[in-house]
Amino acid sequence: MDQKTDMSHPGFGEALRVWAKIGLLSFGGPAGQIAMMHRVLVDEKKWVSEPQFLHALNFCMLLPGPEAQQLATYVGWLLHRAKGGVAAGLLFILPGLTVILGLSTVYMLWRAVPVVEGLFFGLQAAVLAIVIEAVQRIARRAIKTRFLLGLSAAAFVGIYMLQIPFPLIVLGAGLTGWLVGRSRPDWVAATAAKDDRDVLPSVPPSWRRSLLLLGIFGLLWFGPLLWLQAGLGGDHVFSRIAVFFSEMAVVTFGGAYAVLAYVAQQAVSTYGWLSADEMLHGLGLAETTPGPLILVLTFVGFVAGFRDSGLDPLAGGLLGGLLATWVTFVPCFLWIFLGAPYVERARHVRAFAHGLAAITAAVVGVILNLAIWFGLHVLFRQMQAVSLGPLHWDLPVVSSLDPAMALLAAAAILAVFRFHLGLGWLLGGAALAGVAMRMAL
């Protein structure tokens, strides 16, 4: 199908320059990144139309992984097929990856310096405000009926008090939405997308193409994992990083905030790679870098490799961070290149939309769990376990409240909800306030 006359098709060199610019300026989380891509690709460059852009976005929302990075990959694929998708996806990641590795090095070597400690102290308060705002923003968009509200509450109880694994919550919500939508579609409040007729020609589905892609990306994804398992053993930190973050790449529906609760609990409690405070610091670092927020997993891999690899700490950290990044993002390219010809057709099926709406509602409960988990560990120094039958959760020891953090967190929350302070100003202001507090104590 021909493009509209007002649309322009860029050369590959020109597209590379634009993707590099987007990668360098992609701050503000997925909402800000998607808005920036829309402005550049649709409004300024006119490389894709509004329906084309929304078509790609809806497709990426159905997939696990960071939707903004996958949206860049998908539009790059639309414009220049495989080489365009690879270029767009990589350039969206590389600037942030470079920055987060540098910040992780500074953090592990010099965080005991009072100024650096104060910076991270302030970032914790800003991160708490950002996560609370994410709960409100996503809930307002996703919770449209009482059934979806109940599903969100059930997901919260399941992960916070029953410790049900996040992947099971995602699968259970999707299945529930599909079943309920068959008899009571009004409870799910989802509609199939209209068919857009001005999309670029798609690659027709074929088993030969699918098997070829599975072979190529299977080797890229599982090759390092199998090599590490054979050479270092399954208990080595690099093997554990490869396995754990490969699992995360399959179940990260709902964006970074949704999966961070599960990652944080596993990395802190199960593997012991880092502390809860360090996880919060890592999220603060990821918020300050361009690229997808899921790059916080690079920080987790860096800290794990820095401490437990048996190598020189910096070499171990670098390899751990790169390994976590590799097994997290290689599947993102696979989902786009393999799934586009098939999922684009399924996107117009109402039952598929019902399942997605239910998953999105469940994700709200998971993000609420993240906000509470982060909030308790930011504001209180001690926790106590509470049990009631099959329910288990943590309560703070009130006397362990950190008054300085409580004051800074309250100011950050007020700045976000009352004054709508931008992300950069919020992070910068909180970091400077943290330094001032630490230097004054």
Side-chain angles (χ1 to χ4, degrees):
M1 189 175 294
D2 294 335
Q3 299 178 29
K4 291 183 176 181
T5 56
D6 61 341
M7 306 296 292
S8 61
H9 193 85
F12 186 62
E14 181 185 1
L16 282 179
R17 291 190 291 272
V18 171
W19 291 123
K21 172 185 175 183
I22 289 174
L24 289 168
L25 300 178
S26 57
F27 294 91
Q33 293 160 357
I34 291 168
M36 183 185 64
M37 280 191 279
H38 181 275
R39 183 176 68 249
V40 173
L41 301 173
V42 178
D43 295 336
E44 296 178 6
K45 298 296 183 179
K46 300 186 185 301
W47 288 349
V48 291
S49 67
E50 182 82 18
Q52 287 172 325
F53 187 87
L54 295 177
H55 176 89
L57 178 59
N58 288 338
F59 172 38
C60 295
M61 289 293 292
L62 302 176
L63 302 172
E67 61 267 27
Q69 185 267 344
Q70 290 174 325
L71 176 61
T73 303
Y74 187 78
V75 176
W77 177 80
L78 276 178
L79 296 173
H80 297 104
R81 293 302 183 231
K83 67 176 182 180
V86 170
L90 285 179
L91 288 172
F92 194 86
I93 300 167
L94 288 177
L97 173 62
T98 303
V99 173
I100 198 71
L101 287 174
L103 290 176
S104 298
T105 301
V106 172
Y107 179 83
M108 293 304 292
L109 293 179
W110 297 295
R111 62 175 171 159
V113 176
V115 172
V116 177
E117 183 184 3
L119 286 171
F120 291 115
F121 180 79
L123 286 176
Q124 289 184 79
V127 168
L128 178 58
I130 291 167
V131 172
I132 293 173
E133 185 196 25
V135 174
Q136 182 202 50
R137 184 180 65 248
I138 297 175
R140 187 167 54 240
R141 184 184 65 191
I143 307 300
K144 301 177 182 178
T145 67
R146 291 182 179 179
F147 170 76
L148 294 177
L149 178 61
L151 196 60
S152 179
F156 169 76
V157 172
I159 198 167
Y160 186 69
M161 297 182 176
L162 293 172
Q163 288 76 52
I164 297 175
F166 175 63
L168 292 182
I169 291 177
V170 169
L171 293 174
L175 180 61
T176 301
W178 174 68
L179 291 173
V180 171
R182 296 176 65 182
S183 57
R184 295 302 302 265
D186 55 308
W187 286 15
V188 186
T191 58
K194 294 181 180 180
D195 189 9
D196 300 322
R197 294 298 178 183
D198 61 339
V199 295
L200 290 171
S202 182
V203 174
S206 74
W207 283 107
R208 180 179 178 181
R209 176 182 180 275
S210 298
L211 291 174
L212 178 62
L213 285 170
L214 284 172
I216 293 173
F217 281 93
L219 181 63
L220 292 173
W221 186 3
F222 294 109
L225 190 155
L226 295 175
W227 180 79
L228 290 169
Q229 293 275 350
L232 300 176
D235 291 333
H236 193 276
V237 65
F238 288 157
S239 299
R240 292 193 169 197
I241 287 172
V243 171
F244 178 65
F245 290 115
S246 290
E247 294 173 353
M248 289 302 94
V250 179
V251 299
T252 51
F253 294 94
Y257 285 117
V259 76
L260 279 179
Y262 183 67
V263 170
Q265 289 167 352
Q266 292 295 308
V268 172
S269 303
T270 302
Y271 294 100
W273 288 334
L274 71 176
S275 68
D277 281 346
E278 288 171 334
M279 185 70 196
L280 286 167
H281 296 161
L283 184 57
L285 292 179
E287 289 279 10
T288 66
T289 65
L293 180 59
I294 204 71
L295 282 172
V296 68
L297 304 186
T298 303
F299 172 82
V300 175
F302 186 98
V303 175
F306 187 94
R307 288 177 172 155
D308 300 330
S309 68
L311 304 174
D312 173 79
L314 283 180
L318 181 61
L319 290 174
L322 291 174
L323 179 59
T325 306
W326 181 266
V327 297
T328 296
F329 284 100
V330 165
C332 294
F333 292 94
L334 174 61
W335 308 146
I336 296 296
F337 296 151
L338 176 65
Y342 300 97
V343 180
E344 281 192 350
R345 296 184 178 185
R347 187 176 63 88
H348 306 296
V349 179
R350 187 179 297 272
F352 208 58
H354 290 156
L356 179 64
I359 289 173
T360 306
V363 161
V364 174
V366 175
I367 299 175
L368 177 60
N369 166 67
L370 171 68
I372 292 175
W373 189 87
F374 274 4
L376 292 178
H377 285 84
V378 165
L379 298 173
F380 298 90
R381 299 187 181 95
Q382 297 179 27
M383 308 294 295
Q384 59 183 3
V386 177
S387 298
L388 181 63
L391 304 178
H392 306 276
W393 68 96
D394 290 333
L395 285 179
V397 176
V398 177
S399 60
S400 69
L401 176 69
D402 185 336
M405 177 57 73
L407 178 63
L408 192 54
I413 292 170
L414 183 66
V416 169
F417 286 93
R418 177 65 178 85
F419 299 104
H420 307 289
L421 199 65
L423 183 66
W425 289 105
L426 174 67
L427 291 168
L432 291 176
V435 170
M437 283 185 169
R438 280 297 189 229
M439 299 300 288
L441 294 177

